[in-house]
Amino acid sequence: MLLPRLSLLLTLLLSCSLTQAQELKKAIKFSTFYAAVNGGNSVSDQTVYSVTNGLGTEVVSTPYDYSLTMGIRKIARFGYENRAQTFYDGTEASWSDGANIGKRNGLEFLTEVRYRRQQGREFLDQNHFLRYVGDQWMAKVEYLQDGFADIKYFEASQRYRLKLGDKFSLHAGVAERISEPYGYDPLAEWKLENGDIHYTYLALQEGYTHNLATGEYMDPDGTVVAENTEIWEAITIPQVLSEYSNKKRDELASQWNYSVVAGFDFYHFTDDFWTHAWGNVMPYHYDTGGEYMYHNTVDGQWLDYSGGLIFGYRFNKHLGLFLEGRYNKYWNREWYNFKCGANYVIF
């Protein structure tokens, strides 16, 4: 009796595994994996002059710019989107990826990681999302990190969808977000505890030292970081404040945000005219009573929103105009892109 049962169990497990494998293969069919390296020179070398001890010069060089990108995507292109290149090279900026609804119903996804250096500064950008859209409901899970804009959060939303024709949709539901405690000000907290706003005390607290005999200031490792008070206050203290603020924020746990979300999507396309617009608004956020909730920063509720517009119009065979843009504002932090222009074909 045991062998038949084991055989039946193994058969069921194998059948489930095969079914899951087939479903996974179906889900990733027509997706594209890409990895790319891009680079180029940065700003040109600059000559800095000094007259402290006679005329002196110093050449400041900025290392070359580069980006390392890896990702996989399965997102149907809208009618106004053309595949300009044979391969994905990691420089693509498809702003329609930020829309709530894709061109087709069903499952779509994107996962992309980009490490880049720009004018000597290094950034890590990530964008991962899994989106499912049906006729009456939609769900999306997303993780976004924009190093240039200094924003990072995880978001999941579930919404009821109301289709008004083939082009316009309204949707509403709930969203859950996980982020660092935006709005928390470690320096304000330190001033309240210390009762003094002279930030040299903070630097001394963090391990910096001052040699009264020579007037030099040293970091916690004993390296001289300033030779006088002017350099100390103009250069070193801002660095100390930045390091302290980042350290204190990293010590805090991530904050959960529960919000009501509503939005819309509109898409119209012909060969000569197209409009694609979407928007989201979060007017109410549940207060869990946490010490570092954003509610404490704004003393109540606040408004988060995002949206995008892609517009194109061809007047005739010669002249065409385009306008594209995205705007986001979460926790009073903004990040956006836009472009507009005209094309005139001479023939």
Side-chain angles (χ1 to χ4, degrees):
M1 292 294 292
L2 181 59
L3 288 178
R5 291 178 180 176
L6 287 175
S7 177
L8 178 60
L9 178 60
L10 291 173
T11 300
L12 291 174
L13 290 175
L14 180 60
S15 176
C16 291
S17 298
L18 291 174
T19 301
Q20 292 176 350
Q22 292 171 351
E23 290 297 324
L24 177 62
K25 183 178 179 180
K26 181 180 178 181
I28 65 175
K29 188 177 181 180
F30 301 121
S31 62
T32 302
F33 172 82
Y34 53 96
V37 179
N38 296 275
N41 65 289
S42 187
V43 295
S44 61
D45 296 346
Q46 294 182 338
T47 302
V48 179
Y49 297 94
S50 172
V51 294
T52 303
N53 297 310
L55 180 61
T57 60
E58 179 184 1
V59 177
V60 178
S61 299
T62 302
Y64 66 90
D65 295 344
Y66 71 89
S67 66
L68 308 174
T69 307
M70 182 177 295
I72 182 172
R73 61 185 292 129
K74 180 185 177 182
I75 304 174
R77 291 193 296 272
F78 288 91
Y80 54 81
E81 295 181 304
N82 294 317
R83 181 73 175 273
Q85 303 177 100
T86 304
F87 298 102
Y88 285 109
D89 61 14
T91 63
E92 293 80 10
S94 181
W95 292 355
S96 64
D97 292 348
N100 303 302
I101 297 173
K103 183 181 180 182
R104 300 185 180 93
N105 285 0
L107 181 69
E108 293 185 314
F109 56 84
L110 166 70
T111 178
E112 181 178 279
V113 179
R114 177 179 301 169
Y115 182 81
R116 60 191 173 109
R117 183 171 66 193
Q118 181 175 335
Q119 297 186 7
R121 299 179 62 188
E122 297 178 341
F123 304 96
L124 176 63
D125 299 332
Q126 299 186 68
N127 189 11
H128 314 279
F129 73 76
L130 183 66
R131 175 177 66 199
Y132 184 86
V133 178
D135 286 335
Q136 295 184 331
W137 68 281
M138 49 190 289
K140 184 177 182 180
V141 179
E142 179 179 21
Y143 177 78
L144 176 71
Q145 179 178 359
D146 189 325
F148 194 78
D150 190 25
I151 187 75
K152 178 171 61 175
Y153 63 89
F154 168 87
E155 179 179 318
S157 63
Q158 310 81 36
R159 313 185 196 188
Y160 167 75
R161 180 188 182 193
L162 175 63
K163 296 181 64 177
L164 301 175
D166 297 330
K167 301 178 180 181
F168 189 67
S169 292
L170 295 173
H171 34 81
V174 294
E176 307 84 28
R177 292 176 293 172
I178 307 173
S179 70
E180 68 173 75
Y182 290 116
Y184 166 62
D185 186 355
L187 297 179
E189 184 179 65
W190 180 82
K191 283 193 295 185
L192 289 173
E193 294 180 353
N194 179 268
D196 199 313
I197 60 172
H198 199 300
Y199 291 110
T200 293
Y201 290 111
L202 174 60
L204 297 176
Q205 173 186 307
E206 292 301 294
Y208 287 79
T209 55
H210 180 211
N211 189 323
L212 295 176
T214 63
E216 296 176 329
Y217 294 85
M218 282 75 69
D219 66 13
D221 295 328
T223 303
V224 176
V225 292
E227 298 178 349
N228 53 59
T229 303
E230 289 75 15
I231 297 177
W232 168 254
E233 292 183 348
I235 299 177
T236 309
I237 283 296
Q239 295 176 351
V240 173
L241 300 183
S242 177
E243 293 170 357
Y244 176 79
S245 297
N246 291 334
K247 183 186 73 171
K248 297 300 289 184
R249 290 191 184 96
D250 291 341
E251 290 175 356
L252 299 180
S254 298
Q255 304 297 302
W256 283 78
N257 296 262
Y258 304 94
S259 309
V260 174
V261 59
F264 76 92
D265 280 76
F266 176 79
Y267 174 64
H268 169 79
F269 175 78
T270 66
D271 290 338
D272 296 324
F273 171 71
W274 57 89
T275 301
H276 186 193
W278 64 92
N280 298 283
V281 60
M282 298 182 187
Y284 177 81
H285 315 271
Y286 177 69
D287 188 355
T288 61
E291 181 179 0
Y292 300 106
M293 292 293 293
Y294 194 69
H295 295 79
N296 301 327
T297 301
V298 297
D299 194 24
Q301 295 294 325
W302 71 97
L303 189 67
D304 286 341
Y305 50 90
S306 63
L309 171 66
I310 298 175
F311 169 84
Y313 183 68
R314 292 191 177 99
F315 292 93
N316 49 50
K317 295 180 179 180
H318 299 276
L319 180 62
L321 300 177
F322 66 90
L323 170 65
E324 300 183 12
R326 293 188 304 181
Y327 181 84
N328 301 269
K329 186 176 182 181
Y330 278 10
W331 304 290
N332 205 32
R333 307 178 78 87
E334 300 173 295
W335 64 105
Y336 51 87
N337 315 88
F338 70 89
K339 57 184 177 181
C340 61
N343 286 187
Y344 189 86
V345 180
I346 301 174
F347 57 84

